Amino acid sequence: MIQLLKIGVLGSGSAGRTLANGFLDHAHRVMIGSRTPDKLRDWLREAGREAQVGTFEQAARFGELIVLSVNGRAAEDVIRLADLESFAGKIVLDASDPLDFSSGRPGLFVGTTDSLGERIQRLIPDAYVVKGLNVVQADVMINPTLTGDELDMFIAGDSDEAKQTVTNLLEEFGWPVIDMGGIESARWLEALSLAWVVYSHRTGKTHHAFKLIGK
């Protein structure tokens, strides 16, 4: 039986709105948090009765599960704006990435020995951070069939219970989920996102993803 959740989505960009719509399509209640909630009036009008908008703090307090869908450089500031206490005891699905284009080429502003996912876990130690959904484009997040094949979604986090909840949520979208272990494995998922970006820049393609193959 599907567990219906109250989900707070921190981030009102294309990815945040797309994820919110996907969760609403599966009967979850959703609040999008934004610096400027008023700009979401049109989205709210079309989203239906189970949708709400608010500030980052309101969305974080609303959610039983919180999705972080913002520019990686803004992620920690957004969490602070939402009030660190808002996350205590909650699952945080971190779909952000530490992408850095300052050199003119795709890169990461943290990696190998640390990750944005680990930074977020340290910032909110009483939350259960799960890295996931960071290796595909927004529309593929909620509809993996757009890739034309059956691909995998990789997750990482320290809480097995939190990862199971996230797995259940992603399976509603049709994702086979692969557990990569503790939150330190966010280092490799964020690097995988960079591989996605490099391929996209070289080819112009956006509906690609990854699959783990082997016995």
Side-chain angles (χ1 to χ4, degrees), residues 154-167:
F154 304 88
I155 64 172
D158 291 337
S159 166
D160 289 338
E161 184 176 351
K163 286 188 288 188
Q164 186 59 59
T165 298
V166 168
T167 294

Side-chain angles (χ1 to χ4, degrees), residues 86-149:
S86 302
F87 299 88
K90 297 183 179 181
I91 299 169
V92 177
L93 173 53
D94 172 26
S96 65
D97 272 312
L99 295 174
D100 179 13
F101 298 94
S102 60
S103 69
R105 296 178 299 178
L108 301 175
F109 64 77
V110 60
T112 306
T113 59
D114 199 3
S115 67
L116 185 57
E118 289 169 274
R119 286 187 180 186
I120 291 167
Q121 182 64 86
R122 290 195 296 269
L123 183 62
I124 44 175
D126 294 328
Y128 306 104
V129 177
V130 179
K131 193 80 184 186
L133 285 180
N134 66 304
V135 296
V136 292
Q137 182 171 275
D139 54 351
V140 177
M141 291 180 185
I142 65 168
N143 186 6
T145 63
L146 291 174
T147 64
D149 206 340

Side-chain angles (χ1 to χ4, degrees), residues 79-91:
I79 289 171
R80 293 186 182 95
L81 286 171
D83 187 355
L84 302 184
E85 293 183 0
S86 302
F87 299 88
K90 297 183 179 181
I91 299 169

